[in-house]
């Protein structure tokens, strides 16, 4: 019987709730304005802290009616104010509530309300707008649709501390792109918000500070302006330094450190400035200690990683500050079984977000170890570090996987680590697994790391080769992403360096000549350079040169011709001439150049070029063409070989190459001079 009764009971309770909610909505339509006002006040009291009631009222259509009353000029100021208060309360419910409010066009209605001269109404409209805009489901672009909105908000900043708090909070949440930064900057955000940093209200100071952090992020124009701003006679950077003092709230210390970090990264403050070295960096290291909350430790570590990413000196200072490298190891043990957290809600929150600590630690280790060999050694010797990275590569969180592979990439720049830690922990296995199926962002970093693992001195190179990596790398070269194409071809280039002939043949077979030549006309110069590097490595050692040129010589010579004739950088043309010099070093391959007068004329042109690098590379080609070392190697065919080299020398003499070489023996560049003299000696040999 109990089971039969349960459903009707639920329905009757729901009907009761809906009926009560319906009563509140019905009162909004009463012809008596006083009763409407009382109805709105009663609704306000009913929804405070009651998400179920909020949802019911939204479903029953309260929002369009409240917005109508809010916008009616015939409505009293008190009624319009109470409507804005109720809407603000509804906005404090769930994300679905916010979506419903935005769909009912609450934002334009509230922005219109800001034109009212009454401060109390302006403040409740701003408070509601603030609540709506800080929700992740609200499209921030709605703040920028009407070009008159931002200047009007700027003009309201001086009205009261509440307008200052709400408007700066709206700005800091709605400034998401460089375009948003520019709009706010152009409408005087800096000069309007700077005085708020010394407001008597902590909330106003804090929101103003957050505003500057989002305005300065990766923005040179804003940062360069901020560095010269005075607040009550004091430089803004010094105001930020004061806000980082230990007696200030942690949130303020962290945000001020972020402001100075972003100004430094944008080039407005030098990395050796005392406010960075003695104030910002130590403040951020302090935030990494375990007495801070999880989110503070995450933000501190990530900001510190960003601050020192391009600067080796800051990395060295940080690595010796407060035992940072060892301190970060605690990020992987949190929360521990003997955690000091007694608040159950906090413990539950931290368990759900512990992966963010691991992500932040990997990011900071990656930044710390990106340049200095001693720091990398210190990181890898930290307890179970390599095991933690390997585990991180297979975590469920994509952000942790990305941070772990970034850390691995940073450490893979070390020859010593490639030979020891990387080999001992067989990191290539999880890395290969990661490459099988991952988003592009992870693929880029994983394939960059693989490039380093395929360097000639890496013990991982052989097992990676045996795992069938060539097909995978060839597929990367066909990616739409230029970064993936570069990494795919770069890894193949490293693999081909001093490789056995069977490996080179497999690379050419898997890549296919069509794809190889497609890459040689790639619009991305990095792809082109790495493809030329691959070709140069494939065409090394005489038997390999002759074998590859016998099957693909025509296409390779065509590609070389096209590159030398087109508009390319000095580096690209130098690399192309080096490939030609390798071809000229082949026993049979050199005939492809000798029988091509057009190519010989190109070499001649580059021997007389104004750039020494191109002259040197072209002179190498000629030096290899006239070289008769083959006489020593091929004793049986010595007459024939000598005849071959003699014919080449005669032809090159007729074409004027000897005269050019003679001139180059007087060149001011010692390398070019020596190379020309060496070539001339071949004529005398």
């Amino acid at each position: 019987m109990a089971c039969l009764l349960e459903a009707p009971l639920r329905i009757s309770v729901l009907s009761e709730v809906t009926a009560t909610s319906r009563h509140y909505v019905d009162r909004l339509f009463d012809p008596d304005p006083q009763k409407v006002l009382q109805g709105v006040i009663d609704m306000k009291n009913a929804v405070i802290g009651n998400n179920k009631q909020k949802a019911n009222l939204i479903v029953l259509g309260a929002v369009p009616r409240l917005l109508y009353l809010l916008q009616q000029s015939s409505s009293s100021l008190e009624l319009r104010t109470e409507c804005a208060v109720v809407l603000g309360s509804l906005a404090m419910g769930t994300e679905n509530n916010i979506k419903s409010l935005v769909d009912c066009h609450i934002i334009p209605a509230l922005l219109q309300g800001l034109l009212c001269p009454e401060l109390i109404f302006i403040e409740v409209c701003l408070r509601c707008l603030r609540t709506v805009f800080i929700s992740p489901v609200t499209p921030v672009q709605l703040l920028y649709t009407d070009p008159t909105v931002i200047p009007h908000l700027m003009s309201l900043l001086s009205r009261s501390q509440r307008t200052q708090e709400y408007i700066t909070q709206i700005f800091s949440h709605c400034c998401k792109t460089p375009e948003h930064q520019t709009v706010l900057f152009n409408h005087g955000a800096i000069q309007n918000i700077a005085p708020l940093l010394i407001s008597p209200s902590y909330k106003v100071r804090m929101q103003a500070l957050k505003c500057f952090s989002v305005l300065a992020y990766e923005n040179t124009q804003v940062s360069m302006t901020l560095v010269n701003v005075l607040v009550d006679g004091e430089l803004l950077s010094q105001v930020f330094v004061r806000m980082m003092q230990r007696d200030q709230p942690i949130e303020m210390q962290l945000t001020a450190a972020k402001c100075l970090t972003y100004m430094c990264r944008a080039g407005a403050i030098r990395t050796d400035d005392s406010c960075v070295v003695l104030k910002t960096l130590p403040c951020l290291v302090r935030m990494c200690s375990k007495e801070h909350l999880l989110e503070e430790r995450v933000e501190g570590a990530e900001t510190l990683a960003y601050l020192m990413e391009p600067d080796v000196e800051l990395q060295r200072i940080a690595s010796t500050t407060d035992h940072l490298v060892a301190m970060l190891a605690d990020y992987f043990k949190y929360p521990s079984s003997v955690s000091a957290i007694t608040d159950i809600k906090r413990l539950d929150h931290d368990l759900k977000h512990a992966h963010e600590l691991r992500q932040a630690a990997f990011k900071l280790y990656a930044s710390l170890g990106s340049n200095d060999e001693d720091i990398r050694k210190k990181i890898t010797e930290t307890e179970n570090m390599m095991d933690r990275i390997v585990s991180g590569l297979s975590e469920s969180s994509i952000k942790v996987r990305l941070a772990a592979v970034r850390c691995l990439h940073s450490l893979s720049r070390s020859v010593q680590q490639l030979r020891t830690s990387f080999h001992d922990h067989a990191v290539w296995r999880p890395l290969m697994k990661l490459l099988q199926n991952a988003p592009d962002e992870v693929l880029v970093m994983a394939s960059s790391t693989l490039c380093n693992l395929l360097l000639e001195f890496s013990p991982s190179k052989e097992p990676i080769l045996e795992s069938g990596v060539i097909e995978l790398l060839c597929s990367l070269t066909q990616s739409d992403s230029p970064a993936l194409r570069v990494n795919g071809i770069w890894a193949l280039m490293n693999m081909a360096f001093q490789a056995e002939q069977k490996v080179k043949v497999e690379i050419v077979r898997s890549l296919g000549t069509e794809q190889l030549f497609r890459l040689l006309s790639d619009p991305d110069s990095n792809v082109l350079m790495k493809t030329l590097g691959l070709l140069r490595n494939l065409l090394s050692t005489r038997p390999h040169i002759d074998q590859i040129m016998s099957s693909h010589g025509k296409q390779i010579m065509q590609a070389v011709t096209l590159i030398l004739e087109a508009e390319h950088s000095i580096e690209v043309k130098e690399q192309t001439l080096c490939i030609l010099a390798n071809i000229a070093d082949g026993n049979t391959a050199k005939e492809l150049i000798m029988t091509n007068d057009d190519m010989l004329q190109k070499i001649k042109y580059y021997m007389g070029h104004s750039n020494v690098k191109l002259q040197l590379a072209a002179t190498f080609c000629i030096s290899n063409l006239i070289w008769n070392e083959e006489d020593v190697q091929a004793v049986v065919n010595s007459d024939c070989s000598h005849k071959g080299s003699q014919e080449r020398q005669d032809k090159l003499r007729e074409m004027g190459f000897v005269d050019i070489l003679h001139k180059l023996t007087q060149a001011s560049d010692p390398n070019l001079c020596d190379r020309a003299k060496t070539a001339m000696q071949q004529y005398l040999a």
Side-chain angles (χ1 to χ4, degrees), residues 155 306 337 381 397 422 508 524 530 554 594 630 667 672:
S155 72
Y306 182 67
S337 54
E381 287 174 357
S397 163
F422 277 56
V508 175
D524 188 288
K530 291 293 176 275
K554 189 180 175 184
M594 287 306 303
E630 59 199 8
L672 182 58

Side-chain angles (χ1 to χ4, degrees), residues 156-188:
L156 292 175
L157 277 170
S158 59
R159 292 294 296 272
S160 72
Q161 284 185 7
R162 284 198 181 100
T163 64
Q164 290 166 355
E165 179 195 339
Y166 302 148
I167 290 169
T168 47
Q169 196 170 359
I170 289 167
F171 285 164
S172 62
H173 274 275
C174 294
C175 186
K176 303 287 189 191
T177 67
E179 291 74 31
H180 296 161
Q181 289 173 324
T182 302
V183 171
L184 293 171
F185 177 81
N186 289 344
H187 284 103

Side-chain angles (χ1 to χ4, degrees), residues 118-324:
E118 301 296 337
L119 181 58
I120 188 169
F121 184 61
I122 289 172
E123 286 178 350
V124 292
C125 284
L126 281 172
R127 187 166 68 226
C128 186
L129 277 167
R130 181 272 310 266
T131 307
V132 172
F133 273 121
I134 65 174
S135 168
V137 298
T138 304
V140 296
Q141 198 55 40
L142 293 171
L143 186 69
Y144 303 92
T145 310
D146 181 345
T148 65
V149 168
I150 301 296
H152 185 60
L153 288 171
M154 293 291 179
S155 72
L156 292 175
L157 277 170
S158 59
R159 292 294 296 272
S160 72
Q161 284 185 7
R162 284 198 181 100
T163 64
Q164 290 166 355
E165 179 195 339
Y166 302 148
I167 290 169
T168 47
Q169 196 170 359
I170 289 167
F171 285 164
S172 62
H173 274 275
C174 294
C175 186
K176 303 287 189 191
T177 67
E179 291 74 31
H180 296 161
Q181 289 173 324
T182 302
V183 171
L184 293 171
F185 177 81
N186 289 344
H187 284 103
I190 291 174
Q191 51 269 47
N192 281 301
I193 297 170
L196 307 185
L197 290 169
I198 52 170
S199 164
S201 161
Y202 171 74
K203 285 182 176 179
V204 172
R205 294 198 304 278
M206 196 58 236
Q207 293 306 332
L209 191 57
K210 285 182 178 177
C211 248
F212 281 125
S213 77
V214 295
L215 282 167
Y217 181 64
E218 293 190 344
N219 194 307
T220 303
Q221 183 186 33
V222 170
S223 296
M224 289 295 191
T225 306
L226 288 178
V227 87
N228 296 313
V229 169
L230 289 173
V231 181
D232 202 26
E234 188 179 22
L235 277 173
L236 192 62
S237 56
Q238 288 311 304
V239 177
F240 292 153
V241 167
R242 271 195 297 102
M243 289 175 150
M244 285 192 296
Q245 288 173 354
R246 289 172 186 258
D247 60 347
Q248 297 296 332
I250 298 298
E251 180 189 30
M252 182 167 275
Q253 291 182 48
L254 247 177
T255 313
K258 283 168 84 171
C259 289
L260 288 164
T261 293
Y262 299 157
M263 288 165 72
C264 178
R265 283 299 306 267
I269 301 175
R270 288 167 56 99
T271 54
D272 59 358
D273 191 296
S274 62
C275 79
V276 173
V277 178
L278 302 178
K279 301 293 181 182
T280 310
L281 187 143
C283 173
L284 291 169
V285 171
R286 207 162 60 234
M287 294 301 148
C288 297
S289 67
K290 57 177 149 191
E291 71 242 22
H292 290 295
L293 294 175
L294 178 143
E295 45 269 41
E296 293 162 358
R297 296 170 75 188
V298 167
E299 207 170 338
E302 292 191 341
T303 307
L304 180 56
Y306 182 67
L307 171 66
M308 63 187 180
E309 194 174 30
D311 192 272
V312 66
E313 201 46 49
L314 286 180
Q315 290 158 14
R316 286 178 183 141
I317 294 165
S319 72
T320 56
T321 304
D322 292 351
H323 308 288
L324 178 64

